[in-house]
Amino acid sequence: MGSPVSSDRGPAASQGAIVEQMRRIVRSVQALLADSAMGAGLNERDFQALVRIVEAAGLSGAELGRILGMTSSSVTELADRLQNAGMITRTRSPSDRRLVVLKPTARGKRVIDRALGPTLAAMVTVLDGLADTELCVVSHFLDQVERQLLESRTAASENGRD
């Protein structure tokens, strides 16, 4: 794995080490998702979409497109593939019959549970070993990282519209 973060070289060295650890984690997550997609017989984009649909217990095509940065026609093609694979169904929203909601099937849920369940369980095991104060620090850190990533993504999409 990597070496533990050492603060004996000062804060800058520790920050650099933490950023490098995060880069390794991102690469590991990407590899895990790629392997999980392959194991499920899906391409990576379809697998990512299925994860989001299962997580939300259903999304409209427009919502999924926004989340994944896809055009309406690309979402339609993706939904066709997932539906043909038995992973999702399309239903009309009761409140707006024009709106099509992509809902996971039992099979789609099982695929995601099998693919991600062991990894999520391993994360819980790691968290179980942390004290409450450590959990608070980790939670705060992850909230800040998530906020910064969201701001960066928003800024990048706004710059792309110029």
Side-chain angles (χ1 to χ4, degrees), residues 86-87 104-111:
M87 305 287 180
T105 62
R107 180 174 184 220
K109 290 176 192 175
R110 276 192 312 274
V111 164

Side-chain angles (χ1 to χ4, degrees), residues 53 56-67 75 79 91 93 98-103:
I53 292 166
L59 291 170
S60 72
E63 290 170 319
L64 185 61
R66 258 190 317 280
I67 290 167
V75 170
T91 59
S93 169
R98 297 168 296 172
L99 187 65
V100 175
V101 179
L102 311 175
K103 292 196 167 257

